[in-house]
Amino acid sequence: MSELTQIQVDEIKRRAKNVKIKKYVFKYVVSAVRWLFILGMCFVILYPLFSQLSLSFMTSDDMYDATVKYIPKQIIFGNYQTAWMKLGGFQTFSNTFLLTFSTSILQVATATLVGYGLARFRFKGGKILFFLVILALLLPPDLLFTHRYSMFRSLDQINDSPLSMLCFAATCTGLKCSLYIFLMRQFFRGMPKELEEAAYVDGAGPAKTFVSIMLPGAVSMMVTVFLFSFVWQWLDSSYTTVFMREVNLISTKIGSLDSTVGTGITSSVDLNISLIKNAAIMMIIAPLIVLYVFTQRFFVESISRSGLVG
Amino acid sequence: MATNTNQLTPKNIRRRKRSLESKQKKYGYIFTSPFIVGAIIFILIPLVYSVIYSFHKVELSPEVGKGLICVDGSFGLDNYNEIFNVDPNFRKQILASLGDMAINVPVVVIFSFFMASVLNTKFMGRGFARSVMFLPVIISSGVIISLTQNDLAAQLIGAGDRFASTADSSFEITGAFEMMLMQMDLPVRLIEFLIGAVGRISEITTMGAVSIVIFLAGLQSISPSIYEASYIEGATKWEVFWKISLPMVSPLILLSVVYTVVDSFTSNVNAVIRNIHQTIIGGTYDVGAAMAVSYSLIILAILGIVFAVLSKVVFYQD
């Protein structure tokens, strides 16, 4: 091998440097494009929220004022007061909270039990049960409403009683319940079997193993299911408008936002209603966003461990 | 001498196995008992009754404390005739929701897979971006949708704004996009499809939120050693994507497609679902049941087709 001259060495160094620069430039371009894309997507998602927030503080005068863009001239809470009154005030929100909280707790509990049973035990009819879970996931809920309504009407527990909703939650056949069973089943299937086998060898029965070994490991998934369940039940109108239509709930009172209060030119009345609606949206989703902020740590964790594959 | 039960004779092993099996069975039934009860009372029986109601004339009993009663005992297709031949909207709504599904599902699945791949890479603010991507489930579902539809104030405040997604301003952006596509001589159908997808970007992010989560879970469950091995063998990122990431998440593509199809068919934004719901609330239970039964059959048929086509392409690791 011949000796390299100084010129050749310099040439090689220069080329290496070029490659390095190219690599760097490429890396930064890629990350810049990625940032731009993600910022864009975040904007698409957050913009409506932002505009609703700013609208909820405006008066109709602000809307016609060309100098007002997103920050109103004067921050008023009138829209919130009107929306609060139209929705039925504290009673509506406390009713909705009680209903949502109790059904969510029941749903998490039963979905965890059923999901564990389907994931770990072999028994006759287990496959049929899982098939039913999937079937309930695929069918539109209204298919089952006619007879369910009839059943609870013959028990005289309809329209003003939460019994029907609690029964659905306790048997895990309510709103999107089969999705929660499915998630829990997949999660438990992803957990190592050795844990339970060790517990069995040490003499614990299935019930004790479940409570002391499996449950602590499943907390993140349970919180995730609770989040799903709470959010969807809070915003749901399909079940409540059939089974609890005479109870003051957010979903049953939402129509009253359209009713007009006072008199005025029609267009400004429409505009006022629209502003009140924006305030109502803010009031309805505020608890959900708070809940999401607190639970999203568990949410992200359970995603990475959910073992949805397989 | 040891007692017979402690010795591992074949007979004892069999007995022990059998007892373990019966124990397994017992606990299987115990754990799933809430759903067994629910499946019988709240799924199977209502399902059968819905089919029965759909063939009969049914009314709510005028007495308080009674359920639905059959007015006319005869079996007939009157309700189906009513929804398919008399009702002017039902057929149109079904066709429209099929069309929406055909357009939305591919876009949503591709978008959410792409989004999940991006969110799976390392960058600053990844946690924040991930939380924001799931936010549409909270801020645009259920009653919120009915509140935000045709919101006058939101249209006013967005008008003339450069970014807002109102008809006015988005027309400028998509208009330029459309011009560009027209000059590329692409087929008109394809152009309409792309324009539609751009215009519905916020709807797509909403529908894709759960799929993003599904894909993210799948991408994170791929063992890093597979990637390492392929990079050592000299694979490029492009090849790794097509030969490793995509086949490994393909079962999840199936899951995501099924979820998106079901979601687009059964969410309460869907016009057919709204129609069925209004019919049932309005008190015409027999017609509502007929609508629900026929719509469910259509959904199951579509899902069957989707499943049959996709399960041929899906790759299972084990």
Side-chain angles (χ1 to χ4, degrees):
Chain A
M1 248 164 69
S2 59
E3 291 278 314
L4 294 171
T5 61
Q6 190 58 38
I7 300 167
Q8 278 171 319
V9 170
D10 283 352
E11 174 70 15
I12 289 168
K13 271 187 183 166
R14 204 174 55 80
R15 279 191 189 169
K17 209 176 165 190
N18 268 354
V19 169
K20 228 178 188 178
I21 288 172
K22 262 186 196 164
K23 231 178 176 177
Y24 264 110
V25 168
F26 185 70
K27 204 177 142 196
Y28 280 108
V29 166
V30 165
S31 76
V33 168
R34 188 168 56 202
W35 259 88
L36 208 66
F37 178 72
I38 285 171
L39 275 181
M41 291 325 295
C42 289
F43 176 80
V44 166
I45 292 168
L46 292 176
Y47 173 76
L49 194 65
F50 169 72
S51 83
Q52 282 156 6
L53 183 67
S54 100
L55 282 171
S56 68
F57 290 111
M58 286 188 184
T59 60
S60 52
D61 292 344
D62 284 324
M63 294 302 303
Y64 291 120
D65 192 339
T67 58
V68 172
K69 198 66 224 188
Y70 290 110
I71 302 162
K73 284 236 159 106
Q74 187 185 354
I75 290 184
I76 52 140
F77 289 93
N79 295 328
Y80 283 91
Q81 277 169 0
T82 323
W84 177 258
M85 261 162 50
K86 279 188 173 183
L87 282 176
F90 180 73
Q91 206 208 351
T92 302
F93 281 85
S94 68
N95 281 349
T96 313
F97 178 79
L98 282 178
L99 175 73
T100 310
F101 189 74
S102 49
T103 52
S104 305
I105 290 285
L106 279 174
Q107 280 176 353
V108 172
T110 47
T112 312
L113 283 176
V114 177
Y116 183 66
L118 288 175
R120 277 294 196 263
F121 297 101
R122 290 178 167 276
F123 56 97
K124 236 184 205 168
K127 285 204 171 134
I128 298 175
L129 269 191
F130 186 62
F131 172 75
L132 281 174
V133 172
I134 300 296
L135 190 71
L137 191 67
L138 305 181
L139 294 174
D142 291 81
L143 178 64
L144 308 171
F145 278 177
T146 41
H147 187 66
R148 285 182 178 185
Y149 182 80
S150 168
M151 267 196 294
F152 282 96
R153 191 168 189 269
S154 52
L155 291 175
D156 208 7
Q157 293 287 340
I158 201 77
N159 293 348
D160 56 354
S161 153
L163 182 77
S164 49
M165 301 293 288
L166 293 177
C167 280
F168 300 148
T171 54
C172 224
T173 49
L175 177 72
K176 304 215 183 196
C177 262
S178 20
L179 181 65
Y180 311 143
I181 298 181
F182 180 73
L183 285 175
M184 291 310 303
R185 172 187 178 263
Q186 296 303 90
F187 185 83
F188 280 124
R189 269 167 59 114
M191 275 173 99
K193 264 193 175 148
E194 288 76 13
L195 277 175
E196 287 154 290
E197 275 161 13
Y200 287 145
V201 168
D202 286 346
K208 186 149 195 249
T209 311
F210 174 67
V211 172
S212 52
I213 307 282
M214 300 308 271
L215 272 191
V219 167
S220 62
M221 198 60 187
M222 285 166 75
V223 173
T224 304
V225 168
F226 181 79
L227 172 74
F228 275 123
S229 167
F230 194 92
V231 167
W232 279 330
Q233 181 63 55
W234 184 268
L235 297 173
D236 174 64
S237 61
S238 62
Y239 275 75
T240 45
T241 48
V242 173
F243 296 103
M244 294 182 73
R245 53 182 91 153
E246 279 161 26
V247 180
N248 283 358
L249 295 170
I250 288 174
S251 47
T252 53
K253 295 289 280 182
I254 209 95
S256 63
L257 286 172
D258 282 316
S259 66
T260 49
V261 179
T263 51
I265 316 158
T266 13
S267 67
S268 99
V269 168
D270 282 348
L271 201 54
N272 272 328
I273 287 176
S274 162
L275 292 173
I276 289 164
K277 275 186 182 172
N278 279 295
I281 291 173
M282 281 299 120
M283 286 199 303
I284 293 169
I285 64 175
L288 302 181
I289 290 187
V290 170
L291 181 73
Y292 183 55
V293 167
F294 280 109
T295 52
Q296 62 95 14
R297 184 171 61 90
F298 292 97
F299 179 65
V300 174
E301 189 189 323
S302 72
I303 293 171
S304 48
R305 293 180 43 201
S306 65
L308 279 165
V309 193
Chain B
M1 229 174 97
T3 49
N4 194 26
T5 44
N6 284 341
Q7 277 173 341
L8 286 177
T9 58
K11 203 179 166 191
N12 273 348
I13 288 177
R14 217 178 299 140
R15 188 188 296 158
R16 210 179 271 184
K17 225 179 181 177
R18 213 186 299 141
S19 85
L20 186 72
E21 261 173 24
S22 69
K23 215 177 186 180
Q24 281 247 324
K25 264 185 195 168
K26 198 180 92 188
Y27 276 96
Y29 290 125
I30 290 175
F31 274 109
T32 52
S33 57
F35 187 71
I36 295 176
V37 174
I40 294 169
I41 303 179
F42 294 126
I43 294 177
L44 285 177
I45 295 178
L47 195 64
V48 173
Y49 268 99
S50 272
V51 178
I52 295 173
Y53 289 152
S54 72
F55 288 112
H56 290 90
K57 202 112 208 82
V58 169
E59 258 172 29
L60 204 59
S61 160
E63 292 168 64
V64 180
K66 284 268 174 67
L68 294 167
I69 44 166
C70 275
V71 179
D72 184 3
S74 64
F75 171 93
L77 288 169
D78 287 355
N79 298 324
Y80 289 96
N81 185 39
E82 163 99 23
I83 56 171
F84 283 112
N85 292 332
V86 182
D87 187 345
N89 291 323
F90 191 65
R91 269 186 309 173
K92 273 187 214 162
Q93 283 168 341
I94 283 192
L95 285 178
S97 78
L98 283 177
D100 278 353
M101 191 274 297
I103 295 172
N104 279 339
V105 170
V107 178
V108 167
V109 172
I110 292 168
F111 165 79
S112 43
F113 182 59
F114 180 63
M115 208 60 229
S117 318
V118 173
L119 287 176
N120 198 34
T121 56
K122 282 204 174 87
F123 59 90
M124 232 177 78
R126 179 169 72 160
F128 176 76
R130 278 184 186 175
S131 339
V132 169
M133 282 305 140
F134 190 68
L135 213 53
V137 172
I138 294 173
I139 57 178
S140 47
S141 71
V143 292
I144 302 294
I145 296 177
S146 55
L147 281 178
T148 46
Q149 262 172 357
N150 306 320
D151 192 352
L152 192 64
Q155 283 165 15
L156 275 177
I157 198 180
D161 192 283
R162 275 177 303 149
F163 302 116
S165 58
T166 53
D168 246 15
S169 54
S170 70
F171 178 73
E172 286 166 22
I173 302 169
T174 49
F177 184 54
E178 195 173 351
M179 284 289 282
M180 190 185 87
L181 293 177
M182 287 289 197
Q183 282 171 357
M184 285 159 76
D185 267 346
L186 292 173
V188 180
R189 282 278 170 82
L190 186 68
I191 294 177
E192 279 172 2
F193 177 76
L194 290 172
I195 299 292
V198 172
R200 282 179 290 107
I201 184 72
S202 68
E203 194 186 325
I204 287 165
T205 52
T206 309
M207 288 179 73
V210 174
S211 290
I212 291 176
V213 173
I214 293 174
F215 283 130
L216 206 52
L219 288 172
Q220 286 179 347
S221 72
I222 302 174
S223 153
S225 54
I226 301 180
Y227 287 119
E228 274 167 31
S230 55
Y231 283 129
I232 288 170
E233 296 288 340
T236 59
K237 283 198 169 175
W238 179 253
E239 285 166 338
V240 166
F241 174 78
W242 287 103
K243 302 241 162 87
I244 292 176
S245 303
L246 199 61
M248 289 294 274
V249 297
S250 63
L252 295 185
I253 293 179
L254 179 64
L255 183 65
S256 155
V257 169
V258 169
Y259 182 84
T260 316
V261 170
V262 170
D263 194 44
S264 86
F265 274 137
T266 61
S267 75
N268 24 355
V269 194
N270 187 301
V272 185
I273 289 289
R274 281 188 177 196
N275 190 355
I276 296 174
H277 200 70
Q278 289 307 322
T279 313
I280 290 177
I281 291 179
T284 34
Y285 296 93
D286 43 4
V287 177
M291 281 177 167
V293 169
S294 39
Y295 188 53
S296 308
L297 288 179
I298 292 169
I299 295 178
L300 289 182
I302 300 274
L303 283 173
I305 295 169
V306 167
F307 208 81
V309 172
L310 280 184
S311 53
K312 281 190 183 154
V313 231
V314 167
F315 164 82
Y316 287 100
Q317 196 187 2
D318 31 45

